[in-house]
Amino acid sequence: MWILTPLEAGGETHYLLSSKEYVVGRKNCDILLPNDQSISRAHAHLTATDHSLTLKDTSKYGSFVNNQRLTENTSVNLKSGDNVTFGVFYSKFSVDHQKPVVCSSCLDNDGKASLSQALLVLGGKLVNSWTQDCTHLAMQSAKVTIKTISALLCCRPIVKPEFFLELSKAAQQKLPPPKAESFIPEIDEPSLRREDVNLGVIPIRKQLFTGKTFIFLSAKQLKRLSAAVSFGGGRSQLLEEGSLPRDQLESPQSCVIDVTTGSSQILLPSSTTEWANSVNNIVKRKGLRVITESEIGLATIYASCDMYCNPSSLTPDSGGMQSNDSAKNFKCFRKICAPGAMGSSHIIGGSDLLVHNRGKHSDLDEWLKDEERQSRRDESVGDDLFR
């Protein structure tokens, strides 16, 4: 589907469906421009296909593409972003090409049927699997699935199905097309900080994983997640069981995906578990950490690798502390600066101190509990990620 959007106030939007020819003119035409005296009765012809839009001028005063006048009766191919002027006055339009290839997620059968019908009018189609050919992801409410992550990394709009119903109505009534950002679904993940989540198109996501190599210890993980990694500009590699390439494992640019904990845990043979633990130990001895598969989703959601998918960062689910095997027999305390006390000494938070101060510093207790709850929420995202 091609769209001619008026550049002058009060103009009408025109939708051109594939496999059809449209006559532009002042009277009895498909695209009527009755108020412009420089428009001929049959001023120009537009032929639309799935991949091309051809313009042929047949007028007295001419047609212009990007301010260049066309030779009469000579056809020219238009592309998205071109500006077209019919005549010499007010009939100016921008050209846009849209062929919706929509992937759906978490829609029931009725929802899919309704969406398919709307897309049929627009010359689009509904698909079940996400590829780079997809133009949109349709969801009634936003769940964190592998499709969601892929759409975000490909910088494709995530919209409610109603967007395409409105677009279909606009095409039939010759109204301006709706804006995708007005149809972004509500995030439906209690474990995410909604105020920090932006499901809109953020261009930096396309390079989010650039320079990083994601090392998988499981072929199943590689198959499920490698496409998303590549959408974000990263590289994937499957490590052969038993191999311990230290130069790769010890690189800060290598994200070694853990298979022994979290939502990625699967039943592993003892030999595989022993090998995976050896890999983890090599990474930790270098002062780095392994990455849980849920971090791929979290880095994408927050459009940042400062905390997630960053082997050099502190463990996200430890409240800002890195584990240290040599200190495992000691009680762990956290130094936390209380709100409003930027110029004061730090307060050490720990179970003994909380017991001692209980009843005296209830505000501080509640604030520390909020910190712990937030850490648990981030950790629990992994249980729901990539459904």
Side-chain angles (χ1 to χ4, degrees), residues 321-322 324-335 348-355:
M321 290 188 62
Q322 271 187 307
N324 189 331
D325 291 341
S326 63
K328 63 184 178 181
N329 293 324
F330 295 89
K331 182 180 289 293
C332 291
F333 293 91
R334 288 191 299 164
K335 284 190 175 183
I348 298 178
S351 57
D352 293 343
L353 188 60
L354 288 176
V355 170

Side-chain angles (χ1 to χ4, degrees), residues 355-367:
V355 170
H356 176 74
N357 287 324
R358 186 163 289 128
K360 297 181 181 180
H361 301 290
S362 58
D363 290 342
L364 175 61
D365 286 353
E366 188 58 36
W367 184 70

Side-chain angles (χ1 to χ4, degrees), residues 142-144 187-197 294 298 301-302 308 372-387:
K143 301 282 189 181
V144 181
I187 186 74
D188 186 16
E189 294 287 359
S191 53
L192 293 177
R193 300 188 298 270
R194 297 187 182 188
E195 64 275 11
D196 295 335
V197 174
S294 64
L298 290 167
I301 288 289
Y302 295 120
Y308 304 107
E372 293 171 359
R373 280 194 291 268
Q374 183 57 62
S375 294
R376 287 196 296 271
R377 280 197 294 269
D378 280 351
E379 184 177 6
S380 68
V381 172
D383 296 333
D384 298 325
L385 210 55
F386 304 131
R387 289 189 295 274

Side-chain angles (χ1 to χ4, degrees), residues 146-159:
I146 191 64
K147 292 179 181 179
T148 308
I149 299 307
S150 297
L152 291 173
L153 290 170
C154 289
C155 291
R156 303 290 196 271
I158 300 176
V159 295

Side-chain angles (χ1 to χ4, degrees), residues 99-108 111-113 115-117 119-120 123-139 145 147-148 150-151 156-157 164 231:
K99 183 182 180 181
V101 179
V102 182
C103 182
S104 65
S105 182
C106 304
L107 292 184
D108 58 24
K112 289 181 180 180
L115 179 56
S116 294
Q117 189 63 35
L119 291 173
L120 188 62
K125 63 179 180 179
L126 182 65
V127 297
N128 292 322
S129 300
W130 182 270
T131 68
Q132 284 190 305
D133 293 331
C134 294
T135 60
H136 299 78
L137 177 65
M139 311 177 79
T145 67
K147 292 179 181 179
T148 308
S150 297
R156 303 290 196 271
F164 299 100
F231 293 151

